[in-house]
Amino acid sequence: MTDLPIIEPFRIKSVEPLRMTTRSEREAALAAADGNLFRIAAEDVLIDLLTDSGTGAMSAEQWAAVMRGDESYAGARSYKRFERAVQDLMGFEQVIPTHQGRAAEHLLFQTLVKPGQVVPNNTHFDTTRANVEDAGGEARDLPCSESANTAGRDPFKGNMNLEALAELLEEEGERVPLVMITLTNNAGGGQPVSLSNLRAVRALCDKYDKPLYIDACRFAENAWMVREREPEARGRSVREIVAETFALADGCTMSAKKDGLANIGGFLALRDLELATAIRRRLVVTEGFPTYGGMAGRDLEAVAQGLAEVVDEDYLQYRHASIAYVAKRLEERGVPVVEPPGGHAIFLDAARFLPHLAPALFPGQALAIELYLEGGLRTCEIGSLMLGRNDEQGRLIPARHELVRLAIPRRTYTQSHMDYVIEIVTRVHARAEGIAGVEILEEPPVLRHFSARMGRVGTARV
Ligand SMILES: *Cc1c(COP(=O)(O)O)cnc(C)c1O
């Protein structure tokens, strides 16, 4: 029997038109944006795979919950519902709403991290790193060694490097105020962390008496991949795996723009009342009163409902099948993709896609530009443009990998959109040899990928 086609486990109630563009319109839009896809107007994009953050579609029940939002300043009913949703799912008693994930990180690190301290993590997300550094700390990434090989098929390439964590805690333990672990490992390609790795991290935290916090943005996607890939978890429910995951931690930071299935929102949740009280004192200064934090009542409702929907196994099954489908089709056509596919995105390996371009010619950006020109896809370079540094002589110190991320918004695009994406990538791959490199014409001192002006090497234009 042949497999049934993948179908969305929902039907569409409200539609948003996409604007078709011609190649010459896209060329003009790209030239006006100086080759920087962050500077292109969203209406000039056909399929927007720039990020999966806050770009998902809400369900009918979420929109109904929005109408039920209680906008009372203090003690709103919507806060009670939100608090209960987090407590039921994650088991943390103290629930502190924030406007998005980075505000939760800011509150946690400003309260726990002192200048000169070190925060280990499997891989810090960029805002997490920035918030550790903003508190005067050092953000140290300890990814497992399997993560280095983009073609390797290890099922848990998001894991923490346990030897490196043990060594850090043994040798510099007095400088470590907390241990963080990111589920899934976003900067590492959306790769999952296994339950057994998490248990081993917990055991090290117990041995050295350190609190463990989870960066929980994609907790449901992680739990799904644990269920699919970790033999001991086979047949267990996602809710059970989620409960066990959080039972191993002292608290978490969360961006509801990911697995909260909402367009905005976040929270910090923890067990320690004393610490929660100190954080709430800061919350009132920077975010808002403790029963709404940085959110409107309607957003608290949308997130509470989203947390219930995101652990639905039909939804998770479809999401992962759809992403694996794109990766598999591309691979069959000889396109170099990062294996195995992660939970929220397909990553193209631009170093192998455009082997004639050295890192200083920004192969990831060259590829992202071609995907836009070919079919109006907006993707994101995660390579030497975003993560590379210049040495004193102005020479590039390349990033670890040259990747292009196709992040898939939740419940937003259909399988036929995915087929279109596969076709566009394949067409660009067929003419890869002729694709020229990119040079930076002008760049700001920090976070250059957001605003740099770029051109094709030797031509000063894209
Ligand atoms: C998005 C994200 C954050 C930050 O959340 P925001 O809501 O964008 O502030 C932190 N960690 C990870 C892993 C993320 O993906």
Side-chain angles (χ1 to χ4, degrees):
M1 267 204 312
T2 52
D3 288 340
L4 284 170
I6 297 164
I7 61 166
E8 294 76 20
F10 47 81
R11 55 184 176 179
I12 293 166
K13 191 163 213 151
S14 173
V15 297
E16 183 179 5
L18 294 174
R19 196 169 72 87
M20 310 300 272
T21 52
T22 62
R23 183 169 174 120
S24 64
E25 285 171 332
R26 294 193 290 274
E27 281 168 359
L30 194 67
D34 294 312
N36 192 321
L37 296 165
F38 283 96
R39 291 170 53 181
I40 288 193
E43 63 175 10
D44 292 331
V45 174
L46 183 62
I47 300 200
D48 204 342
L49 308 179
L50 188 65
T51 174
D52 64 322
S53 179
T55 52
M58 294 215 295
S59 67
E61 285 303 319
Q62 282 179 295
W63 285 111
V66 163
M67 282 308 294
R68 283 193 291 269
D70 174 359
E71 307 299 344
S72 304
Y73 193 92
R77 183 176 70 235
S78 298
Y79 174 71
K80 278 286 154 208
R81 184 171 179 217
F82 175 83
E83 183 186 42
R84 213 171 315 117
V86 176
Q87 288 169 342
D88 286 353
L89 196 60
M90 302 178 168
F92 299 120
E93 196 53 37
Q94 306 298 322
V95 181
I96 299 171
T98 60
H99 75 278
Q100 58 184 82
R102 66 197 68 185
E105 295 166 355
H106 177 77
L107 290 164
L108 182 68
F109 299 142
Q110 287 294 323
T111 312
L112 285 185
V113 179
K114 307 273 169 297
Q117 291 187 322
V118 181
V119 178
N121 198 326
N122 47 350
T123 307
H124 288 83
F125 182 66
D126 56 6
T127 62
T128 321
R129 169 176 294 279
N131 273 299
V132 169
E133 290 171 357
D134 195 46
E138 179 199 331
R140 201 171 296 177
D141 290 342
L142 306 176
C144 65
S145 54
E146 291 80 4
S147 67
N149 176 9
T150 65
R153 288 177 183 273
D154 190 275
F156 290 105
K157 284 156 87 173
N159 280 350
M160 181 83 87
N161 184 329
L162 296 168
E163 294 75 39
L165 180 63
E167 193 181 308
L168 172 69
L169 291 171
E170 181 63 33
E171 286 167 14
E172 298 174 74
E174 72 291 344
R175 291 174 64 208
V176 176
L178 77 158
V179 174
M180 288 280 297
I181 188 159
T182 307
L183 312 181
T184 58
N185 192 341
N186 183 359
Q191 300 292 330
V193 175
S194 69
L195 270 182
S196 59
N197 187 256
L198 205 55
R199 271 192 220 108
V201 170
R202 175 76 256 176
L204 283 170
C205 289
D206 285 342
K207 179 172 173 195
Y208 293 94
D209 197 22
K210 302 296 176 194
L212 174 61
Y213 280 79
I214 293 177
D215 178 339
C217 297
R218 297 181 182 80
F219 71 93
E221 291 171 3
N222 199 81
W224 179 261
M225 287 187 278
V226 162
R227 190 183 122 128
E228 293 291 288
R229 298 179 188 179
E230 196 163 5
E232 64 157 276
R234 201 153 293 149
R236 293 179 59 195
S237 77
V238 166
R239 264 189 180 272
E240 262 173 52
I241 295 167
V242 166
E244 180 168 348
T245 299
F246 289 106
L248 291 165
D250 296 281
C252 74
T253 56
M254 173 76 189
S255 169
K257 301 172 73 169
K258 286 53 171 274
D259 275 352
L261 298 181
N263 302 121
I264 194 73
F267 56 87
L268 173 58
L270 63 162
R271 300 183 202 288
D272 184 340
L273 173 62
E274 211 176 305
L275 179 59
T277 305
I279 289 169
R280 287 194 178 102
R281 267 185 224 125
R282 214 178 268 275
L283 182 79
V284 189
V285 179
T286 59
E287 288 279 296
F289 188 76
T291 61
Y292 68 85
M295 281 193 274
R298 64 180 82 100
D299 295 327
L300 292 168
E301 292 277 349
V303 175
Q305 178 63 28
L307 288 174
E309 292 178 10
V310 79
V311 290
D312 179 280
E313 294 179 7
D314 290 340
Y315 157 72
L316 286 168
Q317 147 82 31
Y318 137 79
R319 177 159 173 79
H320 288 265
S322 177
I323 288 172
Y325 167 89
V326 177
K328 181 155 177 273
R329 288 296 176 286
L330 289 175
E331 208 175 24
E332 284 166 2
R333 296 170 180 206
V335 176
V337 293
V338 176
E339 281 293 332
H344 66 287
I346 297 107
F347 287 76
L348 305 179
D349 186 339
R352 288 189 281 139
F353 198 115
L354 301 173
H356 58 290
L357 298 183
L361 297 173
F362 301 110
Q365 187 62 15
L367 177 53
I369 284 174
E370 291 300 332
L371 294 172
Y372 177 71
L373 291 174
E374 185 72 37
L377 305 186
R378 177 152 65 174
T379 58
C380 186
E381 190 263 12
I382 301 190
S384 290
L385 176 65
M386 181 188 275
L387 303 171
R389 297 280 170 272
N390 290 337
D391 68 10
E392 268 119 57
Q393 283 81 46
R395 279 188 308 248
L396 178 77
I397 306 168
R400 211 150 71 103
H401 302 297
E402 303 296 338
L403 304 179
V404 172
R405 184 180 71 181
L406 282 60
I408 310 298
R410 295 173 180 77
R411 309 188 292 197
T412 303
Y413 295 111
T414 64
Q415 270 305 103
S416 34
H417 289 123
M418 293 299 110
D419 283 327
Y420 175 87
V421 168
I422 292 165
E423 190 55 37
I424 296 302
V425 175
T426 306
R427 287 185 186 186
V428 173
H429 189 242
R431 55 177 179 80
E433 280 170 22
I435 293 175
V438 165
E439 63 184 341
I440 297 179
L441 304 175
E442 192 184 317
E443 62 180 302
V446 287
L447 295 175
R448 64 179 174 191
H449 56 290
F450 287 128
S451 59
R453 293 179 53 235
M454 286 166 278
R456 281 302 166 79
V457 171
T459 67
R461 56 188 304 257
V462 286

